[in-house]
Amino acid sequence: MHCTAGNQKNKAADIVNYHTNTLKWKVPGYHFIMEASGKVVQVLPVEQPSNGVAGHNSHIINVSYIGGVDTSKPGLPPIDNRTPEQKSALVALLKTLKQHFPEAEIVGHRDFNPGKACPSFDARKEYAGL
């Protein structure tokens, strides 16, 4: 689980454009992106590695919501600013993914890299019941 660490007014296409055109990545960082409206956009097939967590991309599915930082404050501090629509869409998507991958663990980017705040909440704890 990830956050995009940007403005919630962004759309999934903006994130993909940033990853592939600005950062020059060959593929975006996520398989799925949740827009603030709750719209789920699948960016890559789950069989294709994305660029979400260095060293782990060959065996994980990267899901992100747009947001995760307070854009009104200097330094963009982490904040769980998921909209109710994003929360609902995330649960629905994660339940579907768990049906296809029942042994999968739902964890946050920060669980792979303790120096990161992403996704700005404890995904392991929040989705433990899925």
Side-chain angles (χ1 to χ4, degrees), residues 81-122:
N81 57 2
R82 291 173 294 161
T83 65
E85 294 85 3
Q86 283 173 314
K87 287 182 179 185
S88 178
L90 284 166
V91 168
L93 174 62
L94 294 173
K95 282 182 178 180
T96 298
L97 289 171
K98 279 292 272 185
Q99 288 174 350
H100 295 291
F101 305 97
E103 300 301 315
E105 290 182 70
I106 301 171
V107 299
H109 189 177
R110 70 189 201 164
D111 295 313
F112 291 97
N113 184 339
K116 292 197 174 283
C118 177
S120 302
F121 68 95
D122 187 347

Side-chain angles (χ1 to χ4, degrees), residues 24 47 55 58 64 88 113:
K24 304 293 185 198
E47 300 81 18
S58 65
S64 184
S88 178
N113 184 339

Side-chain angles (χ1 to χ4, degrees), residues 2-24:
H2 298 268
C3 66
T4 61
N7 193 311
Q8 285 184 301
K9 293 179 183 177
N10 289 130
K11 300 293 182 197
D14 300 321
I15 305 307
V16 171
N17 181 56
Y18 175 71
H19 288 171
T20 58
N21 293 321
T22 303
L23 297 178
K24 304 293 185 198

